[in-house]
Amino acid sequence: MTTDDQVYEVADGYLYLKGLVNTDTQTDPRPYLTGGVWTRDKFNFTYGKVEVRAKMESAKGSWPAIWLLSRKNDDSWPANGEIDIMEHLNFDNFIHSTIHSSIKSSPSTKTVNVNPGEFNTYGVEWYPNKIIFTINEAPTFTYHKEAGADWRQWPFDRDFHLILSQQLGGAWVGNVDSSQLPVDFVIDYVKYYEYNPSRTTALGSN
C-alpha cells in the first residue's frame, strides 16, 4: 500500500481504494500502487462487532481484503493473531474468511459464495470466547476459544485495529495482468459496535 493520492478517491459517498500500474518507477520502484486505510493507534479495540459494506472489481492478481490485526509488534506472525473478515482473489465468485494463530481450532477458515461486483456487508462479531463471521448479517461460521486454551490458540484478548486494503499480486493470488488495471475496491461504510459484556450481542454503535 502507498500514501500516493492517486490510489484514493472519495466520490458519490463512496471510498475507492485503487490498484494501479505505477507510471513513475523512478520515484517508487514498485510496478503497482495500491490503496489502503487502517486504524492502528487511531482506533484500537478489544471485542465488538465490525461491519463493512463493500464491493470489488475483479482482475487477475487483485486481492482486496478487510482484516483485523493485533496492535502488538512483539510477537511474530501468526502468533499475535489475525482475523480476516473478507479476502477476494482474482475473478472468484466466493470470498475467504479466516483466523490466523499459532494453533488453530477447526473450523478456522471458510469460503462463501458472493457476487463480488455487488455491495455486500462483511462482518465479524468478536466476543471473549468466540468469533462469528457474517455476510449480510447471516452467520457463516464461528471460531471458538477452546476450554483451557492459551494465547497460542486464542491471541484475541487484546487490542486489534482494522485494515481495508486493495492489494495486487503475491504467492496466494498469483501474477497481475496489468492490462486489467486499474481495479477498484469500493467501500460504502464501516460500522463498529462496542462490546457490552452484560448482553449477548455487541451494542453501542460508533
Side-chain angles (χ1 to χ4, degrees), residues 83-86 97-99 108 123-125 131-135 138-143:
I83 303 170
D84 293 328
I85 300 172
M86 185 285 296
S97 299
T98 308
I99 290 287
S108 61
V124 70
E125 298 180 14
I131 297 170
I132 304 171
F133 292 85
T134 63
I135 294 181
T140 58
F141 84 99
T142 301
Y143 182 80

Side-chain angles (χ1 to χ4, degrees), residues 107-199:
S108 61
T109 187
K110 187 176 180 66
T111 59
V112 182
N113 290 340
V114 298
N115 182 342
E118 295 180 353
F119 279 106
N120 293 283
T121 301
Y122 303 97
V124 70
E125 298 180 14
W126 171 21
Y127 300 95
N129 62 345
K130 61 185 176 181
I131 297 170
I132 304 171
F133 292 85
T134 63
I135 294 181
N136 299 322
E137 301 186 352
T140 58
F141 84 99
T142 301
Y143 182 80
H144 292 275
K145 181 179 182 178
E146 294 183 346
D150 63 18
W151 62 270
R152 292 171 297 175
Q153 188 267 330
W154 187 265
F156 303 113
D157 291 324
R158 56 188 180 188
D159 274 358
F160 276 57
H161 62 283
L162 175 66
I163 305 170
L164 310 175
S165 57
Q166 172 65 283
Q167 303 165 95
L168 290 172
W172 188 29
V173 69
N175 294 329
V176 180
D177 184 343
S178 60
S179 71
Q180 297 175 3
L181 302 181
V183 63
D184 287 340
F185 182 21
V186 187
I187 310 299
D188 183 13
Y189 62 70
V190 177
K191 293 183 179 180
Y192 169 74
Y193 300 82
E194 187 175 46
Y195 171 67
N196 185 337
S198 68
R199 296 176 179 265

